[in-house]
Amino acid sequence: MTEERTVLLERIATCVARGKVNEASKIPPDMAGQPGAVELVRQALDLGIEPMTVINEGLSVGMRRVGDLFSQQKAFIPDMLLASRAFTAALEVVKERFNFGEGDARGVFIIGTVLGDLHDIGKNLVAHIVAGAGYHVVDLGVNVPPERFVEEARKYEHCAVGLSTLLTTTMPNMEKTVKLLREQCPQVPVIVGGAPVSDSFASRIGANARGEDPRDAVRWLDETFSPA
Ligand code: B1M
């Protein structure tokens, strides 16, 4: 089982890294006719592998791999796009089983990727997992201007805001967003996250917390919304 599990997770990572969505995908040509990320994720879940393990040790590993190849100029933007297509399609399979759900009882969580940044896979994962934990999630999407977060936060008496960014170049926009939220809605707690965001950056820009991953965001929301 352990070896089968390792092999399967590695195959899932390879499918994502190479943009192999499903068996019918013709890309990449050397994998034609083979199962893709969708079928392999289904197999992994049937084998009893935990959904979060499939995400962290399969899908996300593939994504990191294509990112590393991009850094080395051995992969290009179309490769990253194909990989994100495979990741997103396979995540749908996980969602069917994991019951991410739609909460509305525990509090409102407004989330978005900051202005200038189009990366949404990590942000979507956080949104799904927070919703599955029972929060009402308002997803503002990508490339969200600071004013849009403020506009949405003003609609709710109690809410928290989550900001995501993957680019070092858009970290200043995260800072601007936190600053505007602090000025316009000082009572709204803010969590920031994404690969380039460190604890020290989060505290320097005045965010209440930094999330390493979606679980961190849930833990923080649980503390933030729990009655005193
Ligand atoms: Co882009 N890209 N990309 N990209 N891309 C990165 C981020 C990069 C690291 C690749 C590299 O150089 N190795 C690099 C950034 C370098 C930097 O700034 N330091 C990069 C670049 C440079 C770019 C462009 C500028 C390329 C160009 O045009 N020359 C361009 C920017 C476009 C723009 O946004 N304006 C660009 C474009 C793209 C695509 C559109 C092709 C595609 C995105 C598709 C999409 O998102 N729909 C893409 C992709 C896929 C990537 C990589 C390969 C994968 C990102 C990803 O989805 N990871 C990425 C390389 C890498 O990550 N190694 C890369 C999987 C995801 C699950 O992880 O998003 O980190 P992640 O989210 C994690 C945590 O960070 C955390 O939880 C998630 C789950 O664990 N988290 C939070 C995230 N948000 C959180 C919020 C929280 C809490 C936790 O609370 C609120």
Side-chain angles (χ1 to χ4, degrees), residues 60 63-64 66-68 70-71 77 80-81 84 87 109 111 116-123 125-126 162-164 166-169 191-195 211-214 217:
S60 297
M63 225 38 184
R64 269 199 301 279
V66 75
D68 292 346
F70 181 78
S71 297
I77 291 178
M80 291 204 286
L81 274 174
S84 56
F87 187 109
F109 184 52
I111 188 168
D117 191 342
L118 303 176
H119 294 86
D120 67 356
I121 293 174
K123 183 266 296 166
L125 256 182
V126 175
L163 308 176
S164 176
L166 270 269
L167 298 172
T168 44
T169 49
I191 182 170
V192 294
E212 173 74 26
D213 56 30

Side-chain angles (χ1 to χ4, degrees), residues 1-208:
M1 165 72 176
T2 316
E3 204 194 319
E4 193 178 359
R5 180 183 176 284
T6 311
V7 169
L8 205 44
L9 291 169
E10 170 52 31
R11 287 179 73 196
I12 291 169
T14 303
C15 284
V16 170
R18 302 216 49 213
K20 173 78 176 163
V21 177
N22 56 29
E23 196 162 346
S25 321
K26 296 195 167 56
I27 297 172
D30 63 299
M31 291 178 87
Q34 293 177 25
V38 163
E39 290 85 7
L40 294 173
V41 162
R42 220 167 260 142
Q43 254 184 58
L45 296 172
D46 287 345
L47 255 183
I49 303 178
E50 283 292 313
M52 285 315 293
T53 306
V54 172
I55 292 173
N56 293 332
E57 296 178 29
L59 298 173
S60 297
V61 171
M63 225 38 184
R64 269 199 301 279
R65 215 170 275 168
V66 75
D68 292 346
L69 289 172
F70 181 78
S71 297
Q72 299 158 27
Q73 297 183 343
K74 290 180 183 160
F76 304 93
I77 291 178
D79 302 301
M80 291 204 286
L81 274 174
L82 287 168
S84 56
R85 244 181 38 181
F87 187 109
T88 304
L91 184 65
E92 284 303 312
V93 177
V94 181
K95 276 167 65 184
E96 284 161 21
R97 308 276 185 98
F98 192 43
N99 186 23
F100 283 111
E102 265 302 313
D104 61 3
R106 308 187 63 196
V108 177
F109 184 52
I110 299 164
I111 188 168
T113 303
V114 303
L115 184 66
D117 191 342
L118 303 176
H119 294 86
D120 67 356
I121 293 174
K123 183 266 296 166
N124 291 346
L125 256 182
V126 175
H128 293 316
I129 290 170
V130 167
Y135 292 92
H136 175 68
V137 174
V138 179
D139 187 346
L140 301 181
V142 296
N143 193 23
V144 182
E147 298 75 17
R148 180 72 190 94
F149 285 102
V150 169
E151 182 193 23
E152 199 60 31
R154 282 196 169 133
K155 292 185 188 164
Y156 303 93
E157 201 180 333
H158 297 294
C159 67
V161 170
L163 308 176
S164 176
T165 196
L166 270 269
L167 298 172
T168 44
T169 49
T170 48
M171 289 167 79
N173 290 342
M174 183 173 260
E175 182 170 3
K176 281 183 194 147
T177 308
V178 176
K179 189 162 176 274
L180 197 68
L181 280 162
R182 286 281 165 263
E183 284 166 12
Q184 309 275 322
C185 329
Q187 78 290 356
V188 173
V190 181
I191 182 170
V192 294
V197 178
S198 64
D199 285 334
S200 62
F201 174 76
S203 91
R204 186 176 66 70
I205 66 172
N208 299 75

